[in-house]
Amino acid sequence: MMPVIVKKLFVNVISAIVLIRSFSQEIAMGPFHFDETYSHAHPENAPYKAYSQKVNNSFLTTFYSEPAIKVATLTFSDKLLSQKHGAITVYNENGSVMFTGNYKYNRLHGRWSSWYPNLVICDSGNLKNNLPDGVWKTWYPDGELRSVRTFNSYKYESLMNEIRRNNNPLSFFYLTSMSKQNKNLI
């Protein structure tokens, strides 16, 4: 009687270990084919092959060009690799980081930094819905500060929305009134 209980216990423990290991392992997928914008492409027209692995609740995808040169890593939120959502890092031909940033629902959003080939910082700032927002700094290739500018993505989006509303009699921005007079100026 005792050996049957031990045998069942042993089988249950082994089954539990197998289940735990299978859920904790990262799932590797690929190859997938992507274009220069890291969107799915037909294999004949795709400059990049990508391999993906599940990490927590997202899919970390590594892109390669021929012959197996690592080009970028990008995080997607879905298994189909259509929703860019997370960190992106792009590398140059020497394997050094060219730029880093973040995506949120397929739009650049968050901290951005890029570097020259000599590894000197080129520019940095924040992006909000693909637009610079806040203080943006640029540097010359020798590391000397080139410019410091302040952007406001909310004002830009408000201006563009106001311009799109052609029949609005009120204009809050001078550029909107200019665009009503001559569409070619905008």
Side-chain angles (χ1 to χ4, degrees):
M1 184 86 171
M2 189 68 152
V4 172
I5 293 173
V6 172
K7 189 175 183 181
K8 283 184 179 181
L9 181 62
F10 180 76
V11 169
N12 287 338
V13 169
I14 296 298
S15 298
I17 291 171
V18 168
L19 276 173
I20 291 170
R21 291 190 80 210
S22 68
F23 281 112
S24 66
Q25 288 180 351
E26 298 173 349
I27 300 168
M29 301 176 292
F32 300 100
H33 301 279
F34 286 85
D35 63 14
E36 293 84 2
T37 63
Y38 306 111
S39 298
H40 285 283
H42 194 272
E44 296 168 358
N45 303 328
Y48 305 130
K49 279 187 181 179
Y51 298 88
S52 185
Q53 63 189 68
K54 186 171 184 178
V55 178
N56 297 327
N57 292 328
S58 57
F59 296 87
L60 180 63
T61 307
T62 305
F63 297 82
Y64 296 92
S65 66
E66 294 300 329
I69 297 171
K70 186 176 178 180
V71 174
T73 59
L74 175 58
T75 305
F76 291 88
S77 63
D78 63 327
K79 190 175 185 176
L80 298 175
L81 307 181
S82 61
Q83 184 78 280
K84 299 171 195 157
H85 193 83
I88 180 171
T89 303
V90 175
Y91 305 93
N92 64 19
E93 59 277 352
N94 300 329
S96 301
V97 175
M98 275 183 24
F99 66 83
T100 62
N102 289 288
Y103 274 96
K104 185 176 181 181
Y105 303 113
N106 279 338
R107 304 189 78 154
L108 287 169
H109 193 92
R111 193 83 187 128
W112 171 273
S113 297
S114 68
W115 292 267
Y116 290 107
N118 63 358
L119 304 181
V120 172
I121 191 155
C122 177
D123 66 347
S124 72
N126 285 309
L127 295 164
K128 189 173 187 179
N129 293 324
N130 285 342
L131 296 170
D133 189 59
V135 175
W136 195 273
K137 295 181 181 181
T138 62
W139 289 267
Y140 290 105
D142 65 1
E144 183 182 340
L145 186 64
R146 182 181 203 169
S147 67
V148 178
R149 297 188 176 162
T150 303
F151 295 94
N152 189 322
S153 64
Y154 176 76
K155 279 187 179 179
Y156 176 81
E157 289 175 0
S158 299
L159 170 67
M160 296 312 292
N161 286 333
E162 191 172 281
I163 289 171
R164 280 190 279 273
R165 284 183 260 131
N166 291 334
N167 55 0
N168 190 358
L170 294 174
S171 296
F172 294 101
F173 297 100
Y174 177 69
L175 289 174
T176 305
S177 57
M178 287 178 55
S179 73
K180 288 179 182 178
Q181 295 170 7
N182 185 352
K183 285 281 187 196
N184 294 329
L185 288 177
I186 297 300

